[in-house]
Amino acid sequence: MKCFPSLPLLVLVGILLLPASHLRAPSEAEGNVAGLESHKQTDASESSRLVARHVALQHQLAQQAPAGHYIVVDTARNRLSIIRRQEVLLTALASTGSGTILNDPDRPGTRWIFDTPRGEFTIQSKLTNPIWVKPDWAFLEEGLGIPTDAEHRLEPGVLGDYALGFGKGYFIHGTLYARLLGQNVTHGCIRLNDDDLQRVYQLSKVGTTVMIF
Amino acid sequence: MVLAALTWATPPSTSGPASQTGNQARDPEGLREANRVLEEEIRLAAHPQIYLLLNLPDRSIVIKGRGIELRRLPISAWQAIEERAMVGVFRLRARPQVARPKATPLDDPAQDPIELKDMPVAYELLFDPTLAVTVAPPFQDRPWLWAMGLMRDSWTKTVSWIRSTAAPDENASSPCLRLTLSVEAAQSLAWSVTDGMPLVIRRTTPQ
């Protein structure tokens, strides 16, 4: 197990050593002084090399950033932002996943966890006047049986004017419950109010990066 | 005597002031370490994922994606064992457990969601390769949890010591970090981490 050296101890040792090295320097042979100069030059060139490398690496890292607009979603604070380079173009109040669990009473072992997925995604689809295709859990939540007919799953008018799919059935869409924006209440999708949703729709395109944390 | 008193009175290995970063960036060792971290970051940022940068000289945890800072959480204080071994990319085994409410049919989903305030403030994050990060609130915020964190930390150190004594050649040095975070920062970190999330650490004392 490592013991940590104490800072005051090191400082004190440093202070004690410093005057001694000063006193020794004039009495050194000329060759040694030349060696010291050469050492200093080597140090300087090493530092320059390190600084140049540092700048190059920073540049390389900066190039990994999305080229155009990108969307950032903070699920803890329920905020969605659109950013281009370092400029924030929009910050909107959102609703994200509730984190709750729903068990299927008819199929033991089947359950849904209503989390907004975290990680990096891309906008895969942009829809206008979207129609919600209700999944099984939506019927279970309402205490209804799961329909066998696909037509009974369609529900228009609940997702707002636009929906932007970012994979695995998750969307950024509108809401009928604007009063709940800022809270973790959804089944995993990201809800926005009408104005913000329109702005996000306008500023995004298929392929826009979405970072969710 | 004075030396001994000074040594004893100083909190061990608490990180230096924030200005240390600037100094470190100017010295070769600091630059080497910064460059090493940047190289790791470039590899991580090349993939579609969110990762953590634990910047010890800066006293911050940065949540990043594609090299972009998404959120910065301040570290109040930290202590490290085997800091020199904290190189490479660590991956989180599992995020902290949280009790998830069960949704019941016909219930209002807004009634009982998981919120930031439901996240733990004292917990342990285990990474691969072996790294234990214990998180605890400052003493003044939650004395009880602070003490619990200290006990958990002591236990980790004891186990590590016993292992290193029993088998000195095998994995004798397991790096450990103890982070003191504000309640909000601790809960935000617990919220944001995901299973398998990569972590890179910028050290203060590269060897």
Side-chain angles (χ1 to χ4, degrees), chain A residues 100-136:
Chain A
T100 53
I101 294 176
L102 178 67
N103 290 312
D104 186 339
D106 300 327
R107 287 178 290 177
T110 302
R111 63 176 195 169
W112 292 268
I113 299 175
F114 298 131
D115 273 338
T116 298
R118 321 284 180 82
E120 187 189 304
F121 307 86
T122 52
I123 297 294
Q124 296 180 3
S125 60
K126 288 180 72 178
L127 309 173
T128 51
N129 300 315
I131 295 171
W132 187 29
V133 182
K134 287 172 73 172
D136 291 356

PDB file of all heavy atoms in Angstrom, chain A residues 100-136:
ATOM      1  N   THR A 100     -39.433   4.008 -14.430  1.00  0.00           N
ATOM      2  CA  THR A 100     -40.286   3.025 -13.749  1.00  0.00           C
ATOM      3  C   THR A 100     -40.307   1.697 -14.522  1.00  0.00           C
ATOM      4  O   THR A 100     -39.876   1.630 -15.671  1.00  0.00           O
ATOM      5  CB  THR A 100     -41.726   3.555 -13.592  1.00  0.00           C
ATOM      6  OG1 THR A 100     -42.192   3.962 -14.878  1.00  0.00           O
ATOM      7  CG2 THR A 100     -41.781   4.734 -12.657  1.00  0.00           C
ATOM      8  N   ILE A 101     -40.826   0.689 -13.856  1.00  0.00           N
ATOM      9  CA  ILE A 101     -40.902  -0.658 -14.448  1.00  0.00           C
ATOM     10  C   ILE A 101     -42.364  -1.059 -14.562  1.00  0.00           C
ATOM     11  O   ILE A 101     -43.158  -0.832 -13.641  1.00  0.00           O
ATOM     12  CB  ILE A 101     -40.181  -1.687 -13.547  1.00  0.00           C
ATOM     13  CG1 ILE A 101     -38.675  -1.396 -13.508  1.00  0.00           C
ATOM     14  CG2 ILE A 101     -40.411  -3.108 -14.037  1.00  0.00           C
ATOM     15  CD1 ILE A 101     -37.914  -2.309 -12.564  1.00  0.00           C
ATOM     16  N   LEU A 102     -42.715  -1.644 -15.695  1.00  0.00           N
ATOM     17  CA  LEU A 102     -44.063  -2.203 -15.861  1.00  0.00           C
ATOM     18  C   LEU A 102     -43.923  -3.683 -16.183  1.00  0.00           C
ATOM     19  O   LEU A 102     -43.256  -4.060 -17.144  1.00  0.00           O
ATOM     20  CB  LEU A 102     -44.800  -1.487 -16.999  1.00  0.00           C
ATOM     21  CG  LEU A 102     -46.212  -2.005 -17.306  1.00  0.00           C
ATOM     22  CD1 LEU A 102     -47.173  -1.722 -16.149  1.00  0.00           C
ATOM     23  CD2 LEU A 102     -46.749  -1.387 -18.593  1.00  0.00           C
ATOM     24  N   ASN A 103     -44.541  -4.516 -15.348  1.00  0.00           N
ATOM     25  CA  ASN A 103     -44.523  -5.960 -15.592  1.00  0.00           C
ATOM     26  C   ASN A 103     -45.755  -6.353 -16.391  1.00  0.00           C
ATOM     27  O   ASN A 103     -46.845  -5.809 -16.183  1.00  0.00           O
ATOM     28  CB  ASN A 103     -44.523  -6.721 -14.262  1.00  0.00           C
ATOM     29  CG  ASN A 103     -43.198  -6.562 -13.537  1.00  0.00           C
ATOM     30  OD1 ASN A 103     -42.129  -6.721 -14.121  1.00  0.00           O
ATOM     31  ND2 ASN A 103     -43.267  -6.203 -12.266  1.00  0.00           N
ATOM     32  N   ASP A 104     -45.567  -7.293 -17.298  1.00  0.00           N
ATOM     33  CA  ASP A 104     -46.696  -7.803 -18.067  1.00  0.00           C
ATOM     34  C   ASP A 104     -47.377  -8.893 -17.234  1.00  0.00           C
ATOM     35  O   ASP A 104     -46.766  -9.943 -16.981  1.00  0.00           O
ATOM     36  CB  ASP A 104     -46.185  -8.376 -19.393  1.00  0.00           C
ATOM     37  CG  ASP A 104     -47.321  -8.795 -20.311  1.00  0.00           C
ATOM     38  OD1 ASP A 104     -48.441  -9.029 -19.799  1.00  0.00           O
ATOM     39  OD2 ASP A 104     -47.092  -8.891 -21.527  1.00  0.00           O
ATOM     40  N   PRO A 105     -48.614  -8.670 -16.789  1.00  0.00           N
ATOM     41  CA  PRO A 105     -49.252  -9.661 -15.909  1.00  0.00           C
ATOM     42  C   PRO A 105     -49.521 -10.989 -16.617  1.00  0.00           C
ATOM     43  O   PRO A 105     -49.594 -12.036 -15.967  1.00  0.00           O
ATOM     44  CB  PRO A 105     -50.568  -8.988 -15.495  1.00  0.00           C
ATOM     45  CG  PRO A 105     -50.808  -7.933 -16.522  1.00  0.00           C
ATOM     46  CD  PRO A 105     -49.485  -7.530 -17.056  1.00  0.00           C
ATOM     47  N   ASP A 106     -49.659 -10.937 -17.941  1.00  0.00           N
ATOM     48  CA  ASP A 106     -49.982 -12.172 -18.674  1.00  0.00           C
ATOM     49  C   ASP A 106     -48.749 -12.952 -19.109  1.00  0.00           C
ATOM     50  O   ASP A 106     -48.842 -14.122 -19.463  1.00  0.00           O
ATOM     51  CB  ASP A 106     -50.813 -11.834 -19.923  1.00  0.00           C
ATOM     52  CG  ASP A 106     -52.115 -11.156 -19.533  1.00  0.00           C
ATOM     53  OD1 ASP A 106     -52.644 -11.510 -18.453  1.00  0.00           O
ATOM     54  OD2 ASP A 106     -52.565 -10.264 -20.264  1.00  0.00           O
ATOM     55  N   ARG A 107     -47.616 -12.272 -19.126  1.00  0.00           N
ATOM     56  CA  ARG A 107     -46.386 -12.955 -19.564  1.00  0.00           C
ATOM     57  C   ARG A 107     -45.315 -12.751 -18.487  1.00  0.00           C
ATOM     58  O   ARG A 107     -44.557 -11.765 -18.533  1.00  0.00           O
ATOM     59  CB  ARG A 107     -45.906 -12.385 -20.904  1.00  0.00           C
ATOM     60  CG  ARG A 107     -46.793 -12.813 -22.089  1.00  0.00           C
ATOM     61  CD  ARG A 107     -46.317 -12.191 -23.384  1.00  0.00           C
ATOM     62  NE  ARG A 107     -46.570 -10.745 -23.418  1.00  0.00           N
ATOM     63  CZ  ARG A 107     -46.208  -9.927 -24.413  1.00  0.00           C
ATOM     64  NH1 ARG A 107     -45.548 -10.411 -25.447  1.00  0.00           N
ATOM     65  NH2 ARG A 107     -46.500  -8.640 -24.368  1.00  0.00           N
ATOM     66  N   PRO A 108     -45.271 -13.646 -17.520  1.00  0.00           N
ATOM     67  CA  PRO A 108     -44.285 -13.484 -16.439  1.00  0.00           C
ATOM     68  C   PRO A 108     -42.856 -13.408 -17.006  1.00  0.00           C
ATOM     69  O   PRO A 108     -42.508 -14.151 -17.909  1.00  0.00           O
ATOM     70  CB  PRO A 108     -44.465 -14.766 -15.603  1.00  0.00           C
ATOM     71  CG  PRO A 108     -45.828 -15.261 -15.947  1.00  0.00           C
ATOM     72  CD  PRO A 108     -46.093 -14.857 -17.362  1.00  0.00           C
ATOM     73  N   GLY A 109     -42.110 -12.491 -16.470  1.00  0.00           N
ATOM     74  CA  GLY A 109     -40.740 -12.324 -16.956  1.00  0.00           C
ATOM     75  C   GLY A 109     -40.625 -11.225 -18.000  1.00  0.00           C
ATOM     76  O   GLY A 109     -39.524 -10.765 -18.293  1.00  0.00           O
ATOM     77  N   THR A 110     -41.768 -10.840 -18.570  1.00  0.00           N
ATOM     78  CA  THR A 110     -41.741  -9.747 -19.546  1.00  0.00           C
ATOM     79  C   THR A 110     -41.989  -8.436 -18.815  1.00  0.00           C
ATOM     80  O   THR A 110     -42.957  -8.317 -18.054  1.00  0.00           O
ATOM     81  CB  THR A 110     -42.832  -9.941 -20.628  1.00  0.00           C
ATOM     82  OG1 THR A 110     -42.609 -11.197 -21.259  1.00  0.00           O
ATOM     83  CG2 THR A 110     -42.789  -8.829 -21.655  1.00  0.00           C
ATOM     84  N   ARG A 111     -41.092  -7.493 -19.026  1.00  0.00           N
ATOM     85  CA  ARG A 111     -41.261  -6.204 -18.360  1.00  0.00           C
ATOM     86  C   ARG A 111     -40.640  -5.103 -19.204  1.00  0.00           C
ATOM     87  O   ARG A 111     -39.794  -5.361 -20.070  1.00  0.00           O
ATOM     88  CB  ARG A 111     -40.645  -6.204 -16.961  1.00  0.00           C
ATOM     89  CG  ARG A 111     -39.150  -6.409 -16.972  1.00  0.00           C
ATOM     90  CD  ARG A 111     -38.573  -6.308 -15.586  1.00  0.00           C
ATOM     91  NE  ARG A 111     -37.126  -6.159 -15.626  1.00  0.00           N
ATOM     92  CZ  ARG A 111     -36.386  -5.844 -14.589  1.00  0.00           C
ATOM     93  NH1 ARG A 111     -36.933  -5.648 -13.418  1.00  0.00           N
ATOM     94  NH2 ARG A 111     -35.092  -5.713 -14.702  1.00  0.00           N
ATOM     95  N   TRP A 112     -41.072  -3.881 -18.939  1.00  0.00           N
ATOM     96  CA  TRP A 112     -40.531  -2.728 -19.647  1.00  0.00           C
ATOM     97  C   TRP A 112     -39.930  -1.785 -18.616  1.00  0.00           C
ATOM     98  O   TRP A 112     -40.502  -1.574 -17.540  1.00  0.00           O
ATOM     99  CB  TRP A 112     -41.634  -1.992 -20.405  1.00  0.00           C
ATOM    100  CG  TRP A 112     -42.200  -2.770 -21.555  1.00  0.00           C
ATOM    101  CD1 TRP A 112     -41.778  -2.729 -22.846  1.00  0.00           C
ATOM    102  CD2 TRP A 112     -43.304  -3.689 -21.528  1.00  0.00           C
ATOM    103  NE1 TRP A 112     -42.536  -3.573 -23.623  1.00  0.00           N
ATOM    104  CE2 TRP A 112     -43.466  -4.176 -22.843  1.00  0.00           C
ATOM    105  CE3 TRP A 112     -44.145  -4.167 -20.521  1.00  0.00           C
ATOM    106  CZ2 TRP A 112     -44.458  -5.098 -23.184  1.00  0.00           C
ATOM    107  CZ3 TRP A 112     -45.126  -5.089 -20.854  1.00  0.00           C
ATOM    108  CH2 TRP A 112     -45.272  -5.552 -22.169  1.00  0.00           C
ATOM    109  N   ILE A 113     -38.763  -1.231 -18.950  1.00  0.00           N
ATOM    110  CA  ILE A 113     -38.140  -0.207 -18.100  1.00  0.00           C
ATOM    111  C   ILE A 113     -38.191   1.094 -18.887  1.00  0.00           C
ATOM    112  O   ILE A 113     -37.627   1.181 -19.989  1.00  0.00           O
ATOM    113  CB  ILE A 113     -36.686  -0.571 -17.740  1.00  0.00           C
ATOM    114  CG1 ILE A 113     -36.660  -1.896 -16.965  1.00  0.00           C
ATOM    115  CG2 ILE A 113     -36.040   0.538 -16.915  1.00  0.00           C
ATOM    116  CD1 ILE A 113     -35.260  -2.412 -16.654  1.00  0.00           C
ATOM    117  N   PHE A 114     -38.861   2.060 -18.334  1.00  0.00           N
ATOM    118  CA  PHE A 114     -39.116   3.297 -19.081  1.00  0.00           C
ATOM    119  C   PHE A 114     -37.986   4.318 -18.895  1.00  0.00           C
ATOM    120  O   PHE A 114     -38.169   5.374 -18.286  1.00  0.00           O
ATOM    121  CB  PHE A 114     -40.476   3.884 -18.685  1.00  0.00           C
ATOM    122  CG  PHE A 114     -41.616   2.962 -19.022  1.00  0.00           C
ATOM    123  CD1 PHE A 114     -42.590   2.655 -18.077  1.00  0.00           C
ATOM    124  CD2 PHE A 114     -41.717   2.396 -20.282  1.00  0.00           C
ATOM    125  CE1 PHE A 114     -43.641   1.811 -18.384  1.00  0.00           C
ATOM    126  CE2 PHE A 114     -42.768   1.540 -20.601  1.00  0.00           C
ATOM    127  CZ  PHE A 114     -43.727   1.242 -19.642  1.00  0.00           C
ATOM    128  N   ASP A 115     -36.826   3.966 -19.426  1.00  0.00           N
ATOM    129  CA  ASP A 115     -35.655   4.857 -19.409  1.00  0.00           C
ATOM    130  C   ASP A 115     -35.469   5.492 -20.775  1.00  0.00           C
ATOM    131  O   ASP A 115     -35.704   4.825 -21.796  1.00  0.00           O
ATOM    132  CB  ASP A 115     -34.383   4.049 -19.117  1.00  0.00           C
ATOM    133  CG  ASP A 115     -34.123   3.888 -17.628  1.00  0.00           C
ATOM    134  OD1 ASP A 115     -34.643   4.709 -16.849  1.00  0.00           O
ATOM    135  OD2 ASP A 115     -33.383   2.957 -17.260  1.00  0.00           O
ATOM    136  N   THR A 116     -35.000   6.709 -20.789  1.00  0.00           N
ATOM    137  CA  THR A 116     -34.509   7.275 -22.043  1.00  0.00           C
ATOM    138  C   THR A 116     -33.110   6.697 -22.253  1.00  0.00           C
ATOM    139  O   THR A 116     -32.284   6.760 -21.342  1.00  0.00           O
ATOM    140  CB  THR A 116     -34.452   8.818 -21.962  1.00  0.00           C
ATOM    141  OG1 THR A 116     -35.782   9.302 -21.763  1.00  0.00           O
ATOM    142  CG2 THR A 116     -33.878   9.417 -23.234  1.00  0.00           C
ATOM    143  N   PRO A 117     -32.858   6.129 -23.410  1.00  0.00           N
ATOM    144  CA  PRO A 117     -31.537   5.514 -23.604  1.00  0.00           C
ATOM    145  C   PRO A 117     -30.431   6.565 -23.548  1.00  0.00           C
ATOM    146  O   PRO A 117     -30.627   7.702 -23.979  1.00  0.00           O
ATOM    147  CB  PRO A 117     -31.644   4.888 -24.992  1.00  0.00           C
ATOM    148  CG  PRO A 117     -32.721   5.651 -25.682  1.00  0.00           C
ATOM    149  CD  PRO A 117     -33.683   6.078 -24.626  1.00  0.00           C
ATOM    150  N   ARG A 118     -29.274   6.178 -22.996  1.00  0.00           N
ATOM    151  CA  ARG A 118     -28.127   7.108 -22.916  1.00  0.00           C
ATOM    152  C   ARG A 118     -27.087   6.704 -23.950  1.00  0.00           C
ATOM    153  O   ARG A 118     -26.916   5.527 -24.238  1.00  0.00           O
ATOM    154  CB  ARG A 118     -27.453   7.038 -21.546  1.00  0.00           C
ATOM    155  CG  ARG A 118     -28.374   6.885 -20.375  1.00  0.00           C
ATOM    156  CD  ARG A 118     -29.068   8.176 -20.033  1.00  0.00           C
ATOM    157  NE  ARG A 118     -29.956   7.974 -18.901  1.00  0.00           N
ATOM    158  CZ  ARG A 118     -29.553   7.978 -17.639  1.00  0.00           C
ATOM    159  NH1 ARG A 118     -28.293   8.182 -17.358  1.00  0.00           N
ATOM    160  NH2 ARG A 118     -30.411   7.799 -16.662  1.00  0.00           N
ATOM    161  N   GLY A 119     -26.394   7.679 -24.428  1.00  0.00           N
ATOM    162  CA  GLY A 119     -25.325   7.407 -25.392  1.00  0.00           C
ATOM    163  C   GLY A 119     -25.442   8.342 -26.584  1.00  0.00           C
ATOM    164  O   GLY A 119     -26.077   9.401 -26.503  1.00  0.00           O
ATOM    165  N   GLU A 120     -24.814   7.936 -27.665  1.00  0.00           N
ATOM    166  CA  GLU A 120     -24.871   8.769 -28.877  1.00  0.00           C
ATOM    167  C   GLU A 120     -25.731   8.090 -29.935  1.00  0.00           C
ATOM    168  O   GLU A 120     -25.583   6.898 -30.196  1.00  0.00           O
ATOM    169  CB  GLU A 120     -23.466   9.003 -29.433  1.00  0.00           C
ATOM    170  CG  GLU A 120     -23.499   9.999 -30.580  1.00  0.00           C
ATOM    171  CD  GLU A 120     -22.159  10.095 -31.295  1.00  0.00           C
ATOM    172  OE1 GLU A 120     -21.160  10.370 -30.627  1.00  0.00           O
ATOM    173  OE2 GLU A 120     -22.144   9.908 -32.525  1.00  0.00           O
ATOM    174  N   PHE A 121     -26.619   8.868 -30.522  1.00  0.00           N
ATOM    175  CA  PHE A 121     -27.538   8.363 -31.532  1.00  0.00           C
ATOM    176  C   PHE A 121     -27.537   9.335 -32.709  1.00  0.00           C
ATOM    177  O   PHE A 121     -26.909  10.393 -32.635  1.00  0.00           O
ATOM    178  CB  PHE A 121     -28.961   8.237 -30.953  1.00  0.00           C
ATOM    179  CG  PHE A 121     -29.007   7.425 -29.686  1.00  0.00           C
ATOM    180  CD1 PHE A 121     -28.782   8.021 -28.446  1.00  0.00           C
ATOM    181  CD2 PHE A 121     -29.244   6.065 -29.731  1.00  0.00           C
ATOM    182  CE1 PHE A 121     -28.794   7.277 -27.274  1.00  0.00           C
ATOM    183  CE2 PHE A 121     -29.262   5.308 -28.571  1.00  0.00           C
ATOM    184  CZ  PHE A 121     -29.038   5.913 -27.341  1.00  0.00           C
ATOM    185  N   THR A 122     -28.263   8.969 -33.751  1.00  0.00           N
ATOM    186  CA  THR A 122     -28.456   9.927 -34.850  1.00  0.00           C
ATOM    187  C   THR A 122     -29.935   9.983 -35.190  1.00  0.00           C
ATOM    188  O   THR A 122     -30.671   9.005 -34.987  1.00  0.00           O
ATOM    189  CB  THR A 122     -27.679   9.519 -36.122  1.00  0.00           C
ATOM    190  OG1 THR A 122     -28.000   8.163 -36.431  1.00  0.00           O
ATOM    191  CG2 THR A 122     -26.181   9.665 -35.948  1.00  0.00           C
ATOM    192  N   ILE A 123     -30.354  11.127 -35.683  1.00  0.00           N
ATOM    193  CA  ILE A 123     -31.732  11.243 -36.159  1.00  0.00           C
ATOM    194  C   ILE A 123     -31.872  10.333 -37.378  1.00  0.00           C
ATOM    195  O   ILE A 123     -31.114  10.453 -38.343  1.00  0.00           O
ATOM    196  CB  ILE A 123     -32.068  12.709 -36.531  1.00  0.00           C
ATOM    197  CG1 ILE A 123     -31.989  13.616 -35.289  1.00  0.00           C
ATOM    198  CG2 ILE A 123     -33.446  12.800 -37.192  1.00  0.00           C
ATOM    199  CD1 ILE A 123     -33.023  13.355 -34.222  1.00  0.00           C
ATOM    200  N   GLN A 124     -32.844   9.432 -37.297  1.00  0.00           N
ATOM    201  CA  GLN A 124     -33.015   8.458 -38.390  1.00  0.00           C
ATOM    202  C   GLN A 124     -34.236   8.746 -39.240  1.00  0.00           C
ATOM    203  O   GLN A 124     -34.343   8.255 -40.361  1.00  0.00           O
ATOM    204  CB  GLN A 124     -33.095   7.043 -37.812  1.00  0.00           C
ATOM    205  CG  GLN A 124     -31.799   6.643 -37.115  1.00  0.00           C
ATOM    206  CD  GLN A 124     -31.849   5.250 -36.535  1.00  0.00           C
ATOM    207  OE1 GLN A 124     -32.840   4.539 -36.688  1.00  0.00           O
ATOM    208  NE2 GLN A 124     -30.789   4.848 -35.853  1.00  0.00           N
ATOM    209  N   SER A 125     -35.188   9.476 -38.665  1.00  0.00           N
ATOM    210  CA  SER A 125     -36.393   9.798 -39.443  1.00  0.00           C
ATOM    211  C   SER A 125     -36.973  11.117 -38.971  1.00  0.00           C
ATOM    212  O   SER A 125     -36.825  11.493 -37.795  1.00  0.00           O
ATOM    213  CB  SER A 125     -37.430   8.683 -39.287  1.00  0.00           C
ATOM    214  OG  SER A 125     -37.778   8.539 -37.919  1.00  0.00           O
ATOM    215  N   LYS A 126     -37.603  11.822 -39.896  1.00  0.00           N
ATOM    216  CA  LYS A 126     -38.292  13.081 -39.565  1.00  0.00           C
ATOM    217  C   LYS A 126     -39.726  12.965 -40.093  1.00  0.00           C
ATOM    218  O   LYS A 126     -39.940  12.808 -41.290  1.00  0.00           O
ATOM    219  CB  LYS A 126     -37.584  14.264 -40.237  1.00  0.00           C
ATOM    220  CG  LYS A 126     -36.237  14.615 -39.608  1.00  0.00           C
ATOM    221  CD  LYS A 126     -35.598  15.785 -40.332  1.00  0.00           C
ATOM    222  CE  LYS A 126     -36.323  17.088 -40.043  1.00  0.00           C
ATOM    223  NZ  LYS A 126     -35.679  18.238 -40.718  1.00  0.00           N
ATOM    224  N   LEU A 127     -40.665  13.027 -39.185  1.00  0.00           N
ATOM    225  CA  LEU A 127     -42.062  12.824 -39.576  1.00  0.00           C
ATOM    226  C   LEU A 127     -42.870  14.077 -39.285  1.00  0.00           C
ATOM    227  O   LEU A 127     -42.637  14.763 -38.287  1.00  0.00           O
ATOM    228  CB  LEU A 127     -42.668  11.657 -38.790  1.00  0.00           C
ATOM    229  CG  LEU A 127     -41.880  10.333 -38.778  1.00  0.00           C
ATOM    230  CD1 LEU A 127     -42.520   9.349 -37.819  1.00  0.00           C
ATOM    231  CD2 LEU A 127     -41.817   9.751 -40.174  1.00  0.00           C
ATOM    232  N   THR A 128     -43.837  14.362 -40.170  1.00  0.00           N
ATOM    233  CA  THR A 128     -44.800  15.432 -39.882  1.00  0.00           C
ATOM    234  C   THR A 128     -46.152  14.773 -39.625  1.00  0.00           C
ATOM    235  O   THR A 128     -46.474  13.737 -40.209  1.00  0.00           O
ATOM    236  CB  THR A 128     -44.914  16.422 -41.058  1.00  0.00           C
ATOM    237  OG1 THR A 128     -45.143  15.680 -42.253  1.00  0.00           O
ATOM    238  CG2 THR A 128     -43.647  17.247 -41.223  1.00  0.00           C
ATOM    239  N   ASN A 129     -46.924  15.394 -38.757  1.00  0.00           N
ATOM    240  CA  ASN A 129     -48.211  14.832 -38.321  1.00  0.00           C
ATOM    241  C   ASN A 129     -48.100  13.332 -38.019  1.00  0.00           C
ATOM    242  O   ASN A 129     -48.800  12.510 -38.620  1.00  0.00           O
ATOM    243  CB  ASN A 129     -49.288  15.076 -39.386  1.00  0.00           C
ATOM    244  CG  ASN A 129     -49.486  16.561 -39.636  1.00  0.00           C
ATOM    245  OD1 ASN A 129     -49.570  17.344 -38.688  1.00  0.00           O
ATOM    246  ND2 ASN A 129     -49.506  16.964 -40.895  1.00  0.00           N
ATOM    247  N   PRO A 130     -47.218  12.995 -37.106  1.00  0.00           N
ATOM    248  CA  PRO A 130     -46.986  11.570 -36.845  1.00  0.00           C
ATOM    249  C   PRO A 130     -48.189  10.890 -36.181  1.00  0.00           C
ATOM    250  O   PRO A 130     -48.944  11.540 -35.440  1.00  0.00           O
ATOM    251  CB  PRO A 130     -45.788  11.580 -35.897  1.00  0.00           C
ATOM    252  CG  PRO A 130     -45.866  12.901 -35.216  1.00  0.00           C
ATOM    253  CD  PRO A 130     -46.425  13.859 -36.205  1.00  0.00           C
ATOM    254  N   ILE A 131     -48.343   9.660 -36.453  1.00  0.00           N
ATOM    255  CA  ILE A 131     -49.392   8.846 -35.815  1.00  0.00           C
ATOM    256  C   ILE A 131     -48.696   7.842 -34.902  1.00  0.00           C
ATOM    257  O   ILE A 131     -47.770   7.144 -35.325  1.00  0.00           O
ATOM    258  CB  ILE A 131     -50.235   8.111 -36.881  1.00  0.00           C
ATOM    259  CG1 ILE A 131     -51.003   9.139 -37.717  1.00  0.00           C
ATOM    260  CG2 ILE A 131     -51.207   7.122 -36.225  1.00  0.00           C
ATOM    261  CD1 ILE A 131     -51.698   8.553 -38.928  1.00  0.00           C
ATOM    262  N   TRP A 132     -49.150   7.822 -33.680  1.00  0.00           N
ATOM    263  CA  TRP A 132     -48.525   6.913 -32.707  1.00  0.00           C
ATOM    264  C   TRP A 132     -49.008   5.482 -32.945  1.00  0.00           C
ATOM    265  O   TRP A 132     -50.230   5.251 -32.986  1.00  0.00           O
ATOM    266  CB  TRP A 132     -48.882   7.364 -31.283  1.00  0.00           C
ATOM    267  CG  TRP A 132     -48.165   6.612 -30.204  1.00  0.00           C
ATOM    268  CD1 TRP A 132     -46.945   6.031 -30.279  1.00  0.00           C
ATOM    269  CD2 TRP A 132     -48.637   6.372 -28.875  1.00  0.00           C
ATOM    270  NE1 TRP A 132     -46.599   5.450 -29.077  1.00  0.00           N
ATOM    271  CE2 TRP A 132     -47.626   5.645 -28.205  1.00  0.00           C
ATOM    272  CE3 TRP A 132     -49.794   6.716 -28.182  1.00  0.00           C
ATOM    273  CZ2 TRP A 132     -47.757   5.249 -26.875  1.00  0.00           C
ATOM    274  CZ3 TRP A 132     -49.922   6.329 -26.859  1.00  0.00           C
ATOM    275  CH2 TRP A 132     -48.907   5.598 -26.211  1.00  0.00           C
ATOM    276  N   VAL A 133     -48.077   4.586 -33.090  1.00  0.00           N
ATOM    277  CA  VAL A 133     -48.416   3.164 -33.150  1.00  0.00           C
ATOM    278  C   VAL A 133     -48.221   2.639 -31.728  1.00  0.00           C
ATOM    279  O   VAL A 133     -47.089   2.428 -31.276  1.00  0.00           O
ATOM    280  CB  VAL A 133     -47.506   2.411 -34.151  1.00  0.00           C
ATOM    281  CG1 VAL A 133     -47.913   0.941 -34.232  1.00  0.00           C
ATOM    282  CG2 VAL A 133     -47.559   3.057 -35.520  1.00  0.00           C
ATOM    283  N   LYS A 134     -49.331   2.449 -31.041  1.00  0.00           N
ATOM    284  CA  LYS A 134     -49.236   2.132 -29.604  1.00  0.00           C
ATOM    285  C   LYS A 134     -48.612   0.750 -29.375  1.00  0.00           C
ATOM    286  O   LYS A 134     -49.089  -0.244 -29.919  1.00  0.00           O
ATOM    287  CB  LYS A 134     -50.628   2.168 -28.968  1.00  0.00           C
ATOM    288  CG  LYS A 134     -51.183   3.589 -28.816  1.00  0.00           C
ATOM    289  CD  LYS A 134     -52.609   3.599 -28.370  1.00  0.00           C
ATOM    290  CE  LYS A 134     -52.769   3.215 -26.926  1.00  0.00           C
ATOM    291  NZ  LYS A 134     -54.192   3.422 -26.477  1.00  0.00           N
ATOM    292  N   PRO A 135     -47.563   0.718 -28.571  1.00  0.00           N
ATOM    293  CA  PRO A 135     -46.978  -0.596 -28.248  1.00  0.00           C
ATOM    294  C   PRO A 135     -47.798  -1.319 -27.173  1.00  0.00           C
ATOM    295  O   PRO A 135     -48.718  -0.732 -26.574  1.00  0.00           O
ATOM    296  CB  PRO A 135     -45.590  -0.227 -27.731  1.00  0.00           C
ATOM    297  CG  PRO A 135     -45.645   1.206 -27.372  1.00  0.00           C
ATOM    298  CD  PRO A 135     -46.846   1.835 -27.981  1.00  0.00           C
ATOM    299  N   ASP A 136     -47.411  -2.564 -26.917  1.00  0.00           N
ATOM    300  CA  ASP A 136     -48.171  -3.388 -25.956  1.00  0.00           C
ATOM    301  C   ASP A 136     -48.317  -2.706 -24.591  1.00  0.00           C
ATOM    302  O   ASP A 136     -49.378  -2.727 -23.977  1.00  0.00           O
ATOM    303  CB  ASP A 136     -47.465  -4.747 -25.758  1.00  0.00           C
ATOM    304  CG  ASP A 136     -47.554  -5.619 -27.003  1.00  0.00           C
ATOM    305  OD1 ASP A 136     -48.230  -5.200 -27.981  1.00  0.00           O
ATOM    306  OD2 ASP A 136     -46.947  -6.695 -27.009  1.00  0.00           O
TER     307      ASP A 136
END
